[in-house]
Amino acid sequence: MSMFSTGILVLTSPLHTLPFRIAPVLSSAAQLVERTLYVHLHPGLNLGSGSQPRPVFIPPVVDLSTLITSLYSNAADACGHLDVRVLLTNVRSQSTASSGTMVPNCPFPTPQLLSHSPDVVLTDFPLQDSGQSHEVTQCLQKYTGHCYVCSPRLRSVLLHPRLPRLEEKEEKRKEPEQKAKLLETHSDVVVGGTFDRLHGAHKTLLNISCLLANRRFVIGVCDQAMLKKKALKELIEPYSLRVHRLKEFLQDIKPSLQVEIVPLDDPFGVSIVDPLLQCIVVSEETRKGGEAVNKKRIENGLPALVLHEIQLLKDSHHTETEEEKISSSSLRSRLLGTLLTPPKDRSHLPPLPYVIGLTGGSGSGKSSIARQLEALGAVRIDCDKLGHEVYQPGTAAYHRVLEEFGSDILNEDKTINRRALGRKVFGNQKQLKTLTDIVWPEIAHLVRNGISQAREEGKQVCVLDAAVLLEAGWTDMVHEVWVTIIPEEEAVLRITERDGVNAGDALRRLQSQWSNAKQVEHANVLLSTLWEPEVTRKQVLKAWSLLQKRIQQNQEGQ
């Protein structure tokens, strides 16, 4: 069967049986849907009764909260490529409006517009006999169309024949019928977080918060000051994009809520000053933060918030350097070595050798990565070494440097003392530009010669190891830009150990260079030597393998 971009999965199984069905149901759905999968819960819905069922409100019971957690956890394992969203429009604690007047028990007076228009509806509803199939699919289409705005060509698929038989397991575990326990809900609920690369753990937090909130949902989103200590913070999505994705997700799952998203510049934000808030949703990991919020609220003369704790989602795909829980930092680390942004058009360059421009700040481990790439078969062009060559006596750059900066920068053997020269230009932008205007074009000339030689020798890949690749504007000589980064504090430690300078001098050296964030803006591929050498080696191997595929695709496309 063909793949669909967006689907709605209507789950009709009773809540007590769904935990056994989630994994196979999601696996089956993932074979048909490739982008977004909305999940609509209606336990007990009968699509084969002969009459057209109508959507009704279902109560926010504790089992529903548990089910949502299980659903997102299974989704991370069974269909990690899908954007799964559990819809809560039809979940409400009572059939009375906030004013106290009775309203009809129908959550969809008009079909709800979703951010992605569904073109298939799926269900786990079991057929009593094969002759029911046409009747049930038609009923499912009408039911879904009553709830959501769908594609006019909406298809319907019954997943039940594709699922393993689980009835025996379900019967064995079936508990005696008892009244489901309702969740304690609240008028105004608050949460805080970074919400980078919205994943299953975020969605669990947001969905359960929406279950708990009857009127207003306040979300504090970490802004600049709160991101400084985050791992690979340069890869955190912009605040505006994170907010946009939150708004879209929440509008889909519970459009009736009043959502307020505010920047979080400290660990507390509005949670300690808003008198209307009643509940804060935390995890085991952030519970102490919630307790600190309540301490501040009491100091401010406000009532303490109810702390509603949710469980963390385990990440079955985590590596030894990643957290055991599903986290944004793990997702960011998995981007290392991959193609972050497509290369710019480099049709003016010969296709081979394919030239990688490798750069990074002082102490970032750039040269060690260049040597690893060289060991894999790349021709390394060391711009630091070429920089020494252009200062040699008798070269054009040598004479121009002496004319501009004087003979007092010479050693006894008439070679240029680069330390003495450095003292003249350090901190003086005009003098530094004069020097780079002399030296950089000469280095670029030698680089081009090196690339031409590699081409004559039939080499496939060149790595241009250049600390000033971006500042010098040498990106027009390379097909891709690779950047290696480490946190500033780690770079300072490495520089002081390697060069025997103090921390202040090391920091000033780093601050005279382009920042990590500015370099990452130009990166096609990002690497980091922050962890053990073996971790870096795996990044480099991944980057090299993916590069070979790109080169092959380019050759096939010509």
Side-chain angles (χ1 to χ4, degrees), residues 320-518:
E320 66 275 8
T321 61
E322 297 173 346
E323 297 179 272
E324 290 187 9
K325 65 172 185 174
I326 295 176
S327 72
S328 299
S329 60
S330 294
L331 297 182
R332 292 195 295 274
S333 73
R334 290 170 199 172
L335 294 173
L336 296 174
T338 68
L339 192 66
L340 298 178
T341 56
K344 293 180 179 178
D345 177 27
R346 288 292 181 260
S347 53
H348 66 282
L349 296 176
L352 295 176
Y354 199 86
V355 184
I356 301 301
L358 178 64
T359 191
S362 185
S364 65
K366 166 183 61 66
S367 294
S368 70
I369 287 176
R371 287 191 291 271
Q372 291 184 54
L373 292 169
E374 186 177 22
L376 289 168
V379 174
R380 180 188 177 199
I381 300 176
D382 186 344
C383 289
D384 189 51
K385 185 178 178 182
L386 297 182
H388 282 86
E389 288 183 23
V390 302
Y391 282 110
Q392 292 301 309
T395 62
Y398 176 86
H399 293 298
R400 289 186 62 194
V401 168
L402 290 186
E403 288 173 9
E404 290 290 346
F405 297 98
S407 59
D408 59 329
I409 62 170
L410 291 177
N411 296 311
E412 289 184 7
D413 62 356
K414 301 303 181 182
T415 57
I416 291 174
N417 185 322
R418 293 181 70 179
R419 283 185 179 273
L421 178 59
R423 285 193 291 271
K424 285 199 172 191
V425 301
F426 188 79
N428 186 324
Q429 290 299 315
K430 184 178 179 182
Q431 289 281 71
L432 181 61
K433 187 176 188 309
T434 299
L435 178 61
T436 57
D437 283 348
I438 295 170
V439 175
W440 285 352
E442 296 296 325
I443 297 175
H445 176 69
L446 295 178
V447 167
R448 290 188 178 93
N449 288 344
I451 294 171
S452 295
Q453 183 180 341
R455 184 177 306 114
E456 291 171 6
E457 295 173 358
K459 302 296 185 183
Q460 278 224 322
V461 180
C462 274
V463 174
L464 179 55
D465 178 0
V468 295
L469 177 81
L470 301 174
E471 295 95 321
W474 293 342
T475 55
D476 66 335
M477 296 192 291
V478 306
H479 294 87
E480 294 182 15
V481 174
W482 291 18
V483 174
T484 178
I485 61 169
I486 56 171
E488 187 178 81
E489 56 271 22
E490 176 65 21
V492 167
L493 287 173
R494 293 185 185 183
I495 295 167
T496 55
E497 290 178 9
R498 183 189 67 192
D499 300 341
V501 298
N502 62 45
D505 286 342
L507 185 59
R508 280 188 287 274
R509 185 187 302 180
L510 288 171
Q511 291 174 343
S512 70
Q513 302 170 354
W514 279 25
S515 67
N516 282 346
K518 190 173 181 181

Side-chain angles (χ1 to χ4, degrees), residues 90-282:
N90 63 326
V91 179
R92 194 165 69 183
S93 57
Q94 52 186 7
S95 59
T96 55
S98 56
S99 61
T101 57
M102 293 298 294
V103 294
N105 190 29
C106 177
F108 300 97
T110 58
Q112 178 183 334
L113 180 64
L114 298 168
S115 56
H116 305 287
S117 178
D119 42 21
V120 66
V121 55
L122 317 166
T123 188
D124 63 342
F125 181 77
L127 294 178
Q128 300 304 314
D129 60 71
S130 57
Q132 271 191 312
S133 178
H134 180 68
E135 177 190 340
V136 170
T137 53
Q138 281 197 321
C139 188
L140 178 62
Q141 286 172 331
K142 289 179 182 178
Y143 174 88
T144 309
H146 191 87
C147 300
Y148 305 102
V149 176
C150 301
S151 165
R153 297 179 299 277
L154 183 72
R155 294 274 300 279
S156 59
V157 176
L158 306 181
L159 294 179
H160 192 264
R162 305 165 63 93
L163 301 178
R165 295 186 63 83
L166 299 172
E167 286 81 358
E168 289 183 13
K169 287 184 181 178
E170 291 164 3
E171 283 300 323
K172 287 178 183 177
R173 293 289 299 271
K174 188 171 182 180
E175 297 175 1
E177 289 295 327
Q178 56 183 7
K179 191 172 182 181
K181 182 181 178 183
L182 287 174
L183 273 176
E184 180 188 2
T185 59
H186 310 273
S187 173
D188 296 56
V189 173
V190 64
V191 299
T194 308
F195 297 103
D196 179 42
R197 304 178 192 280
L198 206 61
H199 52 65
H202 292 141
K203 293 174 182 179
T204 302
L205 172 67
L206 294 168
N207 264 101
I208 292 178
S209 297
C210 287
L211 270 183
L212 297 171
N214 294 322
R215 185 182 76 90
R216 185 175 64 129
F217 184 23
V218 181
I219 308 170
V221 177
C222 294
D223 207 357
Q224 294 299 323
M226 292 289 289
L227 303 178
K228 290 180 179 178
K229 298 297 182 182
K230 297 287 185 181
L232 298 171
K233 63 180 183 292
E234 296 83 5
L235 284 176
I236 294 176
E237 295 171 324
Y239 176 84
S240 58
L241 178 58
R242 287 179 281 139
V243 169
H244 169 76
R245 288 182 172 165
L246 277 172
K247 286 181 176 178
E248 180 189 277
F249 179 79
L250 293 168
Q251 180 63 28
D252 275 348
I253 67 169
K254 194 170 181 179
S256 62
L257 270 187
Q258 177 187 332
V259 174
E260 294 178 16
I261 301 177
V262 294
L264 197 56
D265 296 311
D266 60 63
F268 302 106
V270 298
S271 65
I272 60 172
V273 294
D274 189 328
L276 298 179
L277 294 175
Q278 296 177 342
C279 173
I280 184 169
V281 184
V282 298

